[in-house]
Short mmCIF file of all heavy atoms in Angstrom, two decimals:
data_model
loop_
_atom_site.label_atom_id
_atom_site.label_comp_id
_atom_site.label_asym_id
_atom_site.label_seq_id
_atom_site.Cartn_x
_atom_site.Cartn_y
_atom_site.Cartn_z
N GLU D 104 -94.54 -0.25 -99.03
CA GLU D 104 -94.09 -1.41 -98.25
C GLU D 104 -92.97 -1.03 -97.29
O GLU D 104 -92.98 -1.41 -96.11
CB GLU D 104 -93.61 -2.51 -99.21
CG GLU D 104 -93.19 -3.78 -98.46
CD GLU D 104 -92.65 -4.86 -99.39
OE1 GLU D 104 -92.77 -4.71 -100.64
OE2 GLU D 104 -92.09 -5.85 -98.87
N ALA D 105 -92.02 -0.23 -97.77
CA ALA D 105 -90.89 0.21 -96.93
C ALA D 105 -91.40 1.06 -95.78
O ALA D 105 -90.91 0.98 -94.65
CB ALA D 105 -89.88 0.98 -97.76
N SER D 106 -92.40 1.85 -96.05
CA SER D 106 -92.98 2.70 -95.01
C SER D 106 -93.68 1.84 -93.95
O SER D 106 -93.51 2.07 -92.75
CB SER D 106 -93.97 3.67 -95.66
OG SER D 106 -94.69 4.38 -94.67
N LEU D 107 -94.44 0.87 -94.42
CA LEU D 107 -95.15 0.00 -93.47
C LEU D 107 -94.17 -0.79 -92.61
O LEU D 107 -94.32 -0.90 -91.39
CB LEU D 107 -96.07 -0.96 -94.23
CG LEU D 107 -97.35 -0.32 -94.77
CD1 LEU D 107 -98.09 -1.28 -95.69
CD2 LEU D 107 -98.25 0.14 -93.61
N GLU D 108 -93.13 -1.30 -93.24
CA GLU D 108 -92.18 -2.11 -92.49
C GLU D 108 -91.42 -1.30 -91.44
O GLU D 108 -91.19 -1.75 -90.31
CB GLU D 108 -91.18 -2.77 -93.44
CG GLU D 108 -90.29 -3.75 -92.69
CD GLU D 108 -89.17 -4.33 -93.54
OE1 GLU D 108 -89.44 -4.77 -94.67
OE2 GLU D 108 -88.01 -4.34 -93.05
N THR D 109 -91.02 -0.09 -91.82
CA THR D 109 -90.19 0.71 -90.92
C THR D 109 -91.02 1.61 -90.01
O THR D 109 -90.51 2.14 -89.02
CB THR D 109 -89.23 1.62 -91.71
OG1 THR D 109 -90.04 2.47 -92.56
CG2 THR D 109 -88.26 0.83 -92.55
N GLY D 110 -92.28 1.83 -90.36
CA GLY D 110 -93.07 2.77 -89.60
C GLY D 110 -92.78 4.22 -89.92
O GLY D 110 -93.29 5.13 -89.25
N LEU D 111 -91.94 4.47 -90.93
CA LEU D 111 -91.61 5.85 -91.30
C LEU D 111 -92.60 6.37 -92.33
O LEU D 111 -92.83 5.71 -93.35
CB LEU D 111 -90.20 5.93 -91.89
CG LEU D 111 -89.02 5.48 -91.02
CD1 LEU D 111 -87.73 5.54 -91.82
CD2 LEU D 111 -88.93 6.36 -89.77
N PRO D 112 -93.16 7.56 -92.13
CA PRO D 112 -93.95 8.16 -93.20
C PRO D 112 -93.06 8.40 -94.41
O PRO D 112 -91.83 8.54 -94.26
CB PRO D 112 -94.43 9.49 -92.61
CG PRO D 112 -94.07 9.47 -91.17
CD PRO D 112 -93.03 8.42 -90.95
N VAL D 113 -93.67 8.52 -95.59
CA VAL D 113 -92.86 8.61 -96.81
C VAL D 113 -93.29 9.79 -97.67
O VAL D 113 -94.47 10.12 -97.73
CB VAL D 113 -92.93 7.27 -97.59
CG1 VAL D 113 -94.33 7.01 -98.09
CG2 VAL D 113 -91.94 7.24 -98.76
N VAL D 114 -92.30 10.42 -98.28
CA VAL D 114 -92.56 11.52 -99.21
C VAL D 114 -91.99 11.14 -100.57
O VAL D 114 -90.92 10.53 -100.65
CB VAL D 114 -91.92 12.85 -98.72
CG1 VAL D 114 -90.41 12.75 -98.53
CG2 VAL D 114 -92.27 14.01 -99.65
N SER D 115 -92.72 11.49 -101.64
CA SER D 115 -92.24 11.18 -102.99
C SER D 115 -92.76 12.24 -103.96
O SER D 115 -93.80 12.85 -103.74
CB SER D 115 -92.70 9.78 -103.41
OG SER D 115 -91.98 9.33 -104.54
N GLU D 116 -91.98 12.41 -105.02
CA GLU D 116 -92.29 13.49 -105.95
C GLU D 116 -93.41 13.11 -106.90
O GLU D 116 -93.49 11.98 -107.37
CB GLU D 116 -91.03 13.85 -106.76
CG GLU D 116 -91.29 14.94 -107.79
CD GLU D 116 -90.03 15.56 -108.36
OE1 GLU D 116 -88.92 15.19 -107.94
OE2 GLU D 116 -90.17 16.44 -109.24
N VAL D 117 -94.25 14.12 -107.20
CA VAL D 117 -95.25 13.96 -108.25
C VAL D 117 -95.00 15.05 -109.28
O VAL D 117 -94.72 16.19 -108.93
CB VAL D 117 -96.68 14.00 -107.69
CG1 VAL D 117 -97.00 15.33 -107.01
CG2 VAL D 117 -97.70 13.71 -108.79
N MET D 118 -95.06 14.68 -110.57
CA MET D 118 -94.75 15.64 -111.63
C MET D 118 -95.94 15.91 -112.54
O MET D 118 -95.89 16.77 -113.39
CB MET D 118 -93.63 15.09 -112.51
CG MET D 118 -92.31 14.90 -111.79
SD MET D 118 -91.05 14.51 -113.01
CE MET D 118 -91.65 12.91 -113.59
N ASP D 119 -96.97 15.09 -112.42
CA ASP D 119 -98.02 15.11 -113.42
C ASP D 119 -99.36 15.30 -112.70
O ASP D 119 -99.69 14.52 -111.79
CB ASP D 119 -97.98 13.76 -114.17
CG ASP D 119 -98.87 13.74 -115.40
OD1 ASP D 119 -99.94 14.39 -115.38
OD2 ASP D 119 -98.50 13.05 -116.36
N THR D 120 -100.11 16.29 -113.10
CA THR D 120 -101.42 16.54 -112.48
C THR D 120 -102.27 15.29 -112.48
O THR D 120 -103.01 15.04 -111.54
CB THR D 120 -102.20 17.62 -113.27
OG1 THR D 120 -102.18 17.28 -114.65
CG2 THR D 120 -101.60 18.99 -113.06
N ARG D 121 -102.15 14.49 -113.55
CA ARG D 121 -103.01 13.32 -113.69
C ARG D 121 -102.62 12.17 -112.76
O ARG D 121 -103.32 11.19 -112.65
CB ARG D 121 -102.99 12.86 -115.16
CG ARG D 121 -103.47 13.93 -116.11
CD ARG D 121 -103.07 13.66 -117.54
NE ARG D 121 -101.61 13.62 -117.67
CZ ARG D 121 -100.97 13.57 -118.84
NH1 ARG D 121 -101.65 13.54 -119.98
NH2 ARG D 121 -99.66 13.54 -118.89
N LEU D 122 -101.46 12.32 -112.11
CA LEU D 122 -100.99 11.27 -111.21
C LEU D 122 -101.02 11.68 -109.75
O LEU D 122 -100.61 10.91 -108.88
CB LEU D 122 -99.56 10.86 -111.60
CG LEU D 122 -99.44 10.17 -112.96
CD1 LEU D 122 -97.97 9.97 -113.32
CD2 LEU D 122 -100.17 8.82 -112.97
#
Side-chain angles (χ1 to χ4, degrees):
Chain D
E104 183 182 350
S106 172
L107 285 171
E108 187 187 312
T109 58
L111 300 176
V113 65
V114 59
S115 195
E116 178 165 358
V117 61
M118 297 189 294
D119 190 326
T120 49
R121 300 162 299 189
L122 294 173

